[in-house]
Amino acid sequence: MKMHNHDSRNSFDCDANGLLDALLQRYGLKNDAALCRILDVQPCLMSKIRHGKQRISADMMLRIHEVFDMPIAEMRTLMRAEQFYPRIRPVPVVTYSS
């Protein structure tokens, strides 16, 4: 199975190749075309994501979640997205007694 070279990544794609490669490997898919068929997306979209010309959209992440039952948190980890889009943590509630 051919894995894609990560040298061409930039901050725009948040290493989407990491997520896509993990899907290919984990589910024994031969290539991106097979992944496109399963996710019901156009190959040109996958190519744009692979080459850093387009981000993985929220719709695509939801589709991956629905098809592969992969948690969003795991996708973010595989994309190493935390460094670019840190999660918003709830602010602790402080109560004062009078």
Side-chain angles (χ1 to χ4, degrees), residues 10-16 54-57 61 72 76-77 79-89:
N10 56 37
S11 62
F12 184 74
D13 67 2
C14 299
D15 198 14
Q54 186 165 336
R55 295 177 191 228
I56 290 186
S57 67
M61 290 183 75
I72 301 294
R76 292 172 59 91
T77 299
M79 291 190 303
R80 292 184 226 138
E82 292 292 334
Q83 61 185 321
F84 302 107
Y85 304 106
R87 289 188 182 184
I88 298 173
R89 306 273 192 258

Side-chain angles (χ1 to χ4, degrees), residues 8-51:
S8 64
R9 72 177 178 243
N10 56 37
S11 62
F12 184 74
D13 67 2
C14 299
D15 198 14
N17 289 328
L19 171 60
L20 299 177
D21 287 342
L23 290 170
L24 291 176
Q25 185 176 22
R26 187 175 297 177
Y27 297 101
L29 301 173
K30 186 175 180 179
N31 53 34
D32 284 348
L35 184 58
C36 288
R37 285 190 292 276
I38 290 172
L39 294 174
D40 194 29
V41 297
Q42 296 295 317
C44 62
L45 174 62
M46 189 68 66
S47 178
K48 288 177 185 177
I49 292 170
R50 280 281 188 194
H51 292 97

